[in-house]
Amino acid sequence: MFQKGLKDVVAVHTKIASVDGEKGELRYRGELVDKVIPNTTFEELSTFLWTGSKKPISPLFIKGRILPQHVHNLLQTLPNDLQVMDAMKAAIAVFGTTSFLEKPNDEQAILLTAALPVIVGTFYRKQRGLQPVESRDDLGHTANFLYLLTGISPTPAQVEALETYLLVTMEHGLNASTFAARVTISTESDIPSAIVSALGTMKGPLHGGAPSGVLDLLDDMKSPEHVRAVIEERLKKGERIMGFGHRIYKTEDPRSILLREKCLALQGEDAWLDLATFAEKEIIELLNERKPGRKLYTNVEFYAAAIMRAIDLDPVLFTPTFSLARIVGWTAHAIEQAGDNTIFRPQSVYIGKKFV
């Protein structure tokens, strides 16, 4: 059977997550994402995805924030015009010390997950001629990441908004980067190599590209009174309204629902979040008027862009920040693949020059 891009071909049995686009359901370890995420921290949900149970938070989450000296030294030697995603790949690649050559396990997953925000913060500040900021043990994973970028304690609203985004994007089935990680592990390679494969895949604009189109839309609207005019003008020109519609979900994206709820809970805390929640209603109304029957719902990128704008995150950090969440899913799949391994070896069909 030939299926271009392996679309809809089942290649993996997994206990980590499931996506049902028809019902608009995303489940982590069998639990609906909207049930498992409330009142859960990044560290707690990560542990749940790795182990299947809500164990006490491991002290390795703090230990992993201290980069090995050779990793820190490497980051200081990389050219400043390198993209942050490439710096992440380079730094993770040299984690291949003895402990990481063992079969993939949750301790390795914790250490790499804890290290990645430090790698991003260290290199991002170096690019801007700034000294790295030391992690703070009194801050959780998400708050510490924001602190590493700026050296300023983030507000509770900033942490809540970003943490919700990280929680809902940790895992999403056998997407391109997760598949890349599993293929690498299937060769009995190590977990840092799998993460490098995943990061390289995530860097591609068809997968982990930043929601720049939504940012442009928010910038054009600026305030609630301009929303309808901006959308009507775009529809008149036949332009796509970015942040609406999804190739998998045929109803509302459950992740966008959770992000909307968080933005509504933080109403009045940030003008960008307020603009996003107001604009969504207007846009859905206009789309239903102009494109009846299309069933275009808000996708995760719409609120992701609003949150990134609200916390004043540099656009060059959007895909790296997405990766800080998705590394949890990548490592969970690496552990699962190693536990019941068969090397991936699909076939290809030659269609080139005929030969006798």
Side-chain angles (χ1 to χ4, degrees), residues 202-345:
M202 180 68 92
K203 183 184 174 185
L206 292 184
H207 181 34
S212 56
V214 183
L215 287 174
D216 292 341
L217 181 64
L218 291 171
D219 285 340
D220 283 352
M221 293 187 296
K222 293 184 179 65
S223 59
E225 58 267 24
H226 297 135
V227 170
R228 185 165 282 266
V230 168
I231 300 305
E232 286 179 336
E233 180 64 22
R234 292 197 174 203
L235 289 173
K236 184 178 178 182
K237 292 179 179 177
E239 295 180 11
R240 180 187 168 198
I241 306 302
M242 302 303 291
F244 292 80
H246 195 282
R247 73 180 192 86
I248 293 177
Y249 292 109
K250 307 309 177 188
T251 181
E252 278 200 279
D253 184 335
R255 300 169 299 174
S256 69
I257 294 172
L258 286 164
L259 291 176
R260 178 199 304 128
E261 289 175 352
K262 178 56 63 176
C263 290
L264 287 169
L266 296 171
Q267 202 154 28
E269 297 283 343
D270 184 271
W272 286 108
L273 300 184
D274 292 348
L275 174 61
T277 54
F278 176 86
E280 182 192 25
K281 294 183 210 173
E282 294 286 309
I283 293 170
I284 290 292
E285 185 178 310
L286 282 168
L287 287 174
N288 286 335
E289 287 175 9
R290 302 295 181 85
K291 299 176 184 290
R294 287 287 302 277
K295 295 183 179 179
L296 293 172
Y297 298 97
T298 318
N299 63 41
V300 72
E301 280 194 352
F302 181 78
Y303 277 108
I307 287 170
M308 301 302 186
R309 178 69 83 206
I311 63 177
D312 200 25
L313 198 74
D314 190 324
V316 304
L317 293 173
F318 286 6
T319 305
T321 301
F322 185 7
S323 301
L324 299 189
R326 193 53 64 81
I327 190 175
V328 177
W330 296 335
T331 48
H333 278 270
I335 295 166
E336 185 177 66
Q337 180 67 37
D340 183 21
N341 188 50
T342 299
I343 191 170
F344 286 91
R345 183 61 174 88

Side-chain angles (χ1 to χ4, degrees), residues 350-356:
Y350 176 78
I351 60 168
K353 182 180 178 181
K354 294 189 180 296
F355 52 88
V356 180

Side-chain angles (χ1 to χ4, degrees), residues 64-76:
R65 294 176 181 180
I66 303 172
L67 296 182
Q69 190 60 48
H70 70 279
V71 176
H72 179 79
N73 293 344
L74 172 68
L75 289 169
Q76 298 307 315

